[in-house]
């Protein structure tokens, strides 16, 4: 009986295992142990380096190497499960290094346009935000912002073209129009690059009298100083 149970457990474990999206090794987690170690080596030494006005930014990791690969797989290779560990690591870093430990902001993910979300079937920023909130205990408002204008991909655009591309791209969601939050908003995104997306989103919220605490991102292209 013991041998039968052991064999059944082995078969179940094999059945439950999937492949690591970065290296294709068998794993029961989102990433194999080796890729997890490689990803965690990309954590920034100072998550608060960019926490300054006009838009304070808290970033978990450096955008490059395995982190860049993981985010690309999450967004473009139908691997939404990758958002879970990324959001957890971001949440853990926030709990350890929060610039506002006594603040209880409401968390709002940067939205995708409806057509892009329909094509992708999920918004990676929303999935990261869900995982982030599970760790931090902060409240999540998935539809605090909506993207009302379809924009072209930011990759490869100059700074000025990024700003123009995102002009009036966002609107305050119905949930905030009817009942504006009485606490600050903390935005969540996968990557922070030039800040054009964040500035557009923050401007939209502030125009409606909504206070924005800042933005948290899994990774940033801005290097440690």
């Amino acid at each position: 009986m013991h041998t039968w149970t052991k064999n059944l457990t082995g078969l179940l474990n094999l059945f439950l295992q999937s492949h690591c999206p970065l290296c294709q090794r068998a794993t029961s987690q989102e990433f194999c142990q080796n890729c997890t170690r490689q990803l965690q080596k990309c954590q920034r030494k100072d998550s608060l380096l960019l926490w300054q006005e006009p838009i304070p930014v808290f970033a978990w990791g450096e955008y490059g190497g395995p982190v860049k690969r993981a985010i690309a797989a999450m967004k473009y290779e139908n691997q939404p499960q990758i958002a879970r560990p990324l959001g957890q690591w971001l949440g853990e870093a926030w709990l350890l290094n929060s610039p506002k430990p006594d603040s209880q902001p409401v968390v709002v993910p940067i939205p995708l346009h409806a057509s892009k979300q329909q094509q992708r079937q999920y918004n990676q920023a929303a999935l990261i935000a869900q995982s982030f909130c599970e760790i931090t205990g902060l409240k999540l408002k998935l539809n605090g912002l909506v993207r009302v204008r379809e924009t072209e991909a930011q990759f490869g655009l100059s700074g000025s073209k990024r700003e123009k591309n995102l002009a009036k791209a966002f609107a305050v969601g119905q949930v905030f129009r009817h009942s504006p939050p009485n606490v600050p908003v903390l935005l969540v995104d996968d990557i922070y690059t030039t800040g054009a997306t964040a500035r557009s989103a923050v401007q939209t919220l502030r125009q409606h009298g909504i206070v924005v605490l800042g933005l948290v991102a899994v990774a940033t292209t801005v290097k440690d100083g």
Side-chain angles (χ1 to χ4, degrees):
M1 178 64 79
H2 176 71
T3 304
W4 181 85
T5 306
K6 191 175 178 181
N7 288 342
L8 179 62
T9 303
L11 282 170
L12 281 171
N13 288 339
L14 186 66
F15 177 74
L16 290 170
Q17 284 195 338
S18 56
H19 290 96
C20 174
L22 303 189
C23 71
Q24 302 307 310
R25 288 188 183 97
T27 177
S28 58
Q29 304 297 317
E30 287 85 4
F31 301 112
C32 71
Q33 287 184 346
N34 181 60
C35 286
T36 298
R37 281 195 297 270
Q38 295 304 315
L39 284 161
Q40 290 180 335
K41 284 179 183 177
C42 298
Q43 184 169 0
R44 290 171 65 86
K45 297 179 182 69
D46 185 2
S47 297
L48 293 170
L49 185 71
L50 303 174
W51 193 264
Q52 49 193 301
E53 295 298 338
I55 302 173
V57 176
F58 181 98
W60 173 81
E62 302 283 356
Y63 183 64
V67 170
K68 184 176 181 179
R69 174 78 187 92
I71 290 175
M74 174 178 61
K75 291 165 74 170
Y76 307 120
E77 298 173 21
N78 193 30
Q79 302 281 352
Q81 77 281 3
I82 287 176
R84 185 170 171 269
L86 297 183
Q88 286 178 340
W89 297 339
L90 181 60
E92 287 162 3
W94 178 262
L95 287 179
L96 285 171
N97 306 293
S98 172
K100 300 280 188 179
D102 298 325
S103 178
Q104 290 292 307
V106 61
V107 174
V108 175
I110 296 290
L112 289 178
H113 188 267
S115 62
K116 186 171 283 188
Q117 179 148 346
Q118 186 175 20
Q119 180 185 353
R120 191 174 291 169
Q121 295 296 306
Y122 54 89
N123 174 12
Q124 73 281 350
L127 297 179
I128 291 165
Q130 285 174 329
S131 188
F132 175 83
C133 288
E134 285 172 11
I135 295 294
T136 61
L138 296 175
K139 289 184 178 178
L140 176 65
K141 287 291 185 184
L142 284 174
N143 301 310
L145 272 175
V146 292
R147 196 178 288 240
V148 292
R149 193 167 69 79
E150 192 169 6
T151 54
E152 60 180 299
Q154 293 284 84
F155 178 77
L157 295 181
S158 67
S160 60
K161 284 186 177 177
R162 282 173 181 249
E163 298 286 348
K164 189 175 180 181
N165 186 38
L166 284 158
K168 298 180 181 176
F170 300 104
V172 168
Q174 197 170 9
V175 63
F176 281 176
R177 283 202 301 273
H178 292 316
S179 180
N182 55 10
V183 294
V185 163
L186 183 64
L187 294 165
V188 175
D189 208 356
D190 53 350
I191 312 164
Y192 178 82
T193 52
T194 65
T197 302
R199 279 191 291 276
S200 182
V202 169
Q203 184 181 33
T204 298
L205 290 165
R206 287 177 176 166
Q207 283 173 346
H208 285 78
I210 297 169
V211 176
V212 179
L213 179 65
L215 176 135
V216 295
V218 169
T220 180
T221 57
V222 182
K223 300 296 182 185
D224 284 319

